[in-house]
Amino acid sequence: MLYLVRMDVNLPHDMPAAQADDIKAREKAYAQQLQHEGKWQQLYRVVGEYANYSIFDVGSHDELHTLLSGLPLFPYMKIHVTPLAKHPSSIR
Amino acid sequence: MLYLVRMDVNLPHDMPAAQADDIKAREKAYAQQLQHEGKWQQLYRVVGEYANYSIFDVGSHDELHTLLSGLPLFPYMKIHVTPLAKHPSSIR
Amino acid sequence: MLYLVRMDVNLPHDMPAAQADDIKAREKAYAQQLQHEGKWQQLYRVVGEYANYSIFDVGSHDELHTLLSGLPLFPYMKIHVTPLAKHPSSIR
Amino acid sequence: MLYLVRMDVNLPHDMPAAQADDIKAREKAYAQQLQHEGKWQQLYRVVGEYANYSIFDVGSHDELHTLLSGLPLFPYMKIHVTPLAKHPSSIR
Amino acid sequence: MLYLVRMDVNLPHDMPAAQADDIKAREKAYAQQLQHEGKWQQLYRVVGEYANYSIFDVGSHDELHTLLSGLPLFPYMKIHVTPLAKHPSSIR
Amino acid sequence: MLYLVRMDVNLPHDMPAAQADDIKAREKAYAQQLQHEGKWQQLYRVVGEYANYSIFDVGSHDELHTLLSGLPLFPYMKIHVTPLAKHPSSIR
Amino acid sequence: MLYLVRMDVNLPHDMPAAQADDIKAREKAYAQQLQHEGKWQQLYRVVGEYANYSIFDVGSHDELHTLLSGLPLFPYMKIHVTPLAKHPSSIR
Amino acid sequence: MLYLVRMDVNLPHDMPAAQADDIKAREKAYAQQLQHEGKWQQLYRVVGEYANYSIFDVGSHDELHTLLSGLPLFPYMKIHVTPLAKHPSSIR
Amino acid sequence: MLYLVRMDVNLPHDMPAAQADDIKAREKAYAQQLQHEGKWQQLYRVVGEYANYSIFDVGSHDELHTLLSGLPLFPYMKIHVTPLAKHPSSIR
Amino acid sequence: MLYLVRMDVNLPHDMPAAQADDIKAREKAYAQQLQHEGKWQQLYRVVGEYANYSIFDVGSHDELHTLLSGLPLFPYMKIHVTPLAKHPSSIR
C-alpha cells in the first residue's frame, strides 16, 4: 500500500556539529537500506527547505509507523502521512 | 524536472450530470495521454477526497502550467505545485 | 487496519427537502450496512456540528476510498482520513 | 459520555534520557490503569507522529480534565478535546 | 455540565426576507425558552459579527447536540463547542 | 461591559518548580481577589488544556488591560479578548 | 473608548448593479454621518482589497455593535473588532 | 516605490463565456497599458493556479489602489499587497 | 503615506530583568521621539496582549523599514505592515 | 526559469553578536556573488520584517536547492519557493 509522507526536519541550533553529522549519517544509511528493500519507494527534496516528500510502499499502518519512528531524525521531525489509493485515470 | 502537484476538485453541485460526465471523460483521456507521454509520471487518489497527488516530469515551469491549465477540470480545481529536487539520500 | 475519518457535511441550502431526505435515507442504510459488516466500526456525531468522527476497519486504502466515495452524501462532504497504528500503551 | 481526545507530545530535546524514560514509563502505567478501569476506552497511535487519538468514556468534563491533567506527559502535550454524541445512523 | 458554544450565522443572501424573519423569530422563541429552562445559561453577541458566544448547562453531550441541532438557524450556522471544567482558582 | 477572554498558559519547562508554584499561588490569589470584586465574573478551565475561558465585567479597555497585564502569569500567556454585546434574544 | 475594526466586503456577483450602487450610497452617507459625529474616528482603505481599517470611538460594546450592525453593507461584510487601550509609550 | 502583489482570480462558474472573455480581454489590455507605462513592472503566472505575482512601481498607496481597483477582474480577485524596501545585500 | 503596523513582542523568558528594562526604556524613548516628529502617528495597546497597533506616516517603504528595524525591540518582534489608502467615504 | 522565493530569517537570540555578524557578512557576499552571476535576479526586503522576497533565474530545481541550501543563513531560515511561468498578459 502507498503512503505519501512529508517530513520537515528541525535540528536544534545548539546541537554539536559532530552529533548532528552522526545522526544524519545514520539517517542516510537507514533511508538507503529501506529504499533497497523497496519499502521507501521514492524520496525527493522539497526545493529550498530541510524537508522531503517520500512515497512508502508497505503492508500496514503499523509497519509504516515502526519505520518512521525508527528514523534517527524522528525526534526532530514534523511528519504528515497521507494514504494514497489507485486513481481511476492512472495507467499504472 | 519533477514537480509534486496536489489537485482538489470542486464541481458545482448544480452542474448537469451529463456535462460533468463529459468533462470527467475528457479529463481521463487527457491525463492518460500525458501519462503515456511520460510527462504525468504518477497519479494517486487521496483516500476519501476528490483530490489527487501527482508527480509531473517536464522540462520547464511554462510547460507544466500549460499542461495543468489545459486540464478540462482546471476551472474547478484548487492546485498547489511543489518543485522537487534530488535528495542526497535517494538511491534513484 | 484502522482509519480515523472525519466527515463534515455541507448540503446546498437550495436542495429540495425531498431530495435531501432521500440522500440521507440512502446514507443511513449504506452506513448501517457497513457497520453490520464490521467495516464501519464506530460512528459518532460531533456535538453541535453536521459532522462525524468514524473509525473504519478495512483491508486497504483502495477499499476505504471505494467505501467513502460510495457514500450518497460524498459529493457534499469534506473528508479527512488519518491512519491509526497500534499504540505501545494500548491494552487492546 | 464519550470524548475524542487528540494528544501531541513534544518533549524538550535537552531532557536527559533517563528522565524522559521515567516519565514515559509512568505515562504507560497511568494509561493502562485507566484503560483497565474502562475510562480510557480506546488509544491509537497517529501514524508517523508522536501523537495519539483516544476515546474516553467518563461521567463529566471535570473528571476528564482531572484524568488528562494528571498525565505525567501533560506538561509536554498539546491536547484537543471533542465531545461526541450518539449518531442517528449508528447501530451501537 | 457547562459548554462554551460559539455560533456563526450565515444566511444565504437570496433568502426571501419573510422567510429569514420567520426563522429568526422561531430562533428567538426557541432560545428564550431554553434560557427560561436554565439550559441556555448565557447568550452574548460578538461585537460586529452575526455570531454569539453562549454557555449551556445540560446533562450530556447528546442533550446538547439535540438542543443545538434543533435550532431553526442550525442549517445556516457554523458551531464550535468547548467543554468547560471547574477552574481551581474559581470562587464559584 | 463584558469581555470574553481566552488565556493559554505556557510555562517554560526549565523553570524551577518552586518559582512556578510561587507564580501560580500569586496568580490564584490575584484571580480570586478580582472575582470577589466582581470584575473577573466567570472563570472556567478548558478541558484537557492549560487554558481558561473567562468573562470580565469592567468599565473600559484600559481597565481590562491593566488587570490582564498585571496577572503574575501574564508573561507566559497567550491571551485573546473578544468584546461581548447584549444579544437581542437574551432574557438577562 | 477606541476599537480597531477591519471590514471585508463581499457583494454577491449576481446582485443587480442598481441595488449594489444604492447600498453603497447609503453606506457612504451612514459612514460620513458617524464620522461627523466623531464616533467613526478614522476610515482607511486597505490597498488592493475591498476592505477597510477603521478606528471607532464610542462609549460601549453595545453602542459599537448597534452602529456596525446598522451598516447597509453589514450582511455582506466579515468584520473583526479589536479593543484598543492606551499604550504606555504613546504621547497622545 | 515597489509593491509585491499577489492576485488570485475566481470567476463564477455560471458566468457566460462571452462575458468572461470580454473581461479577460479588457484585463489584458489594461495590464499591458500599465506595463508600457512602467507602473506594472513585472507580471508572472503562478504555475498551476489562476493567479499571478506582480511587482508594481508607483508613487503612492493611493495610486496603487486606484490601479488595482480599476482592474476589470478586480471584483473576482483576492489580492494581497506587500510593500518592498531596498535590501542591504541587493546590488541593484 | 499611511501604514497600519501590528507589532507583537516576544521577549525571551530567560533575559535578565535589567537587560529587558533597558531595551524597553530605549524603545519608549525611540517611539516617543518618532511620535514627536509626526512619523509614528498613532500607537495603541492591543488589550490583553504584549502587542500594539500603530499608524505610521512616512514618505516611503524604505523609510518605514529603517524606522521599524531600528526599534530596540525589533529582534524580539513579529511585525506585519498594511499599506493604507484614502477611503472614498472618509471625510478626512 | 524563474522562481519567487520568500525567506524569513530567525536567528537565535542567544547567538553571540560576533558569530551573527560573521554569518551575515558571508550571507551578503554569497548573495551579491549570485546576483552578479545573474542567478539571484532580484532581492527585496519585506518592510518591517527580517525577511526578503527574491526572484531567482536558474536552470533547474536542483540548482536552486543547491544555491538556497548553501546560504550561510539557511539553518536559520524558513523558505518557501513558488515556480513562476510566463503570464499571457506580460509584455516582457
Side-chain angles (χ1 to χ4, degrees), chain C residues 11-38:
Chain C
L11 282 176
H13 294 312
D14 56 4
M15 177 183 275
Q19 183 187 350
D21 294 342
D22 168 62
I23 295 177
K24 290 176 191 175
R26 287 187 290 115
E27 180 87 1
K28 184 167 187 172
Y30 184 96
Q32 297 196 328
Q33 173 61 29
L34 291 180
Q35 290 176 74
H36 286 301
E37 292 174 15

Side-chain angles (χ1 to χ4, degrees), chain J residues 18-87:
Chain J
Q19 183 187 350
D21 293 342
D22 169 61
I23 295 177
K24 290 176 190 174
R26 286 188 290 114
E27 180 85 1
K28 184 167 188 173
Y30 184 97
Q32 298 198 328
Q33 173 61 29
L34 292 180
Q35 290 176 71
H36 287 299
E37 291 174 15
K39 299 179 185 258
W40 197 326
Q41 205 200 59
Q42 300 173 57
L43 168 58
Y44 306 105
R45 172 64 79 214
V46 177
V47 174
E49 305 185 43
Y50 194 0
N52 73 64
Y53 269 109
S54 292
I55 295 185
F56 281 77
D57 185 359
V58 291
S60 71
H61 301 339
D62 289 319
E63 183 183 357
L64 180 60
H65 184 73
T66 302
L67 296 183
L68 292 176
S69 56
L71 285 163
L73 280 174
F74 181 72
Y76 310 105
M77 278 179 169
K78 193 166 89 68
I79 293 179
H80 186 74
V81 171
T82 304
L84 300 176
K86 179 163 168 50
H87 192 286

Side-chain angles (χ1 to χ4, degrees), chain F residues 1 13 21 24 29 32 41 45-46 54 62 74 76 81 84-85 87-88 91:
Chain F
M1 286 187 315
H13 294 311
D21 293 342
K24 290 176 189 174
Q32 297 197 328
Q41 203 199 61
R45 173 63 81 212
V46 176
S54 294
D62 291 319
F74 181 74
Y76 310 104
V81 171
L84 301 177
H87 191 287
I91 65 172

Side-chain angles (χ1 to χ4, degrees), chain D residues 19 77 82-83 89 92:
Chain D
Q19 183 187 351
M77 278 178 167
T82 304
S89 299
R92 292 164 59 129

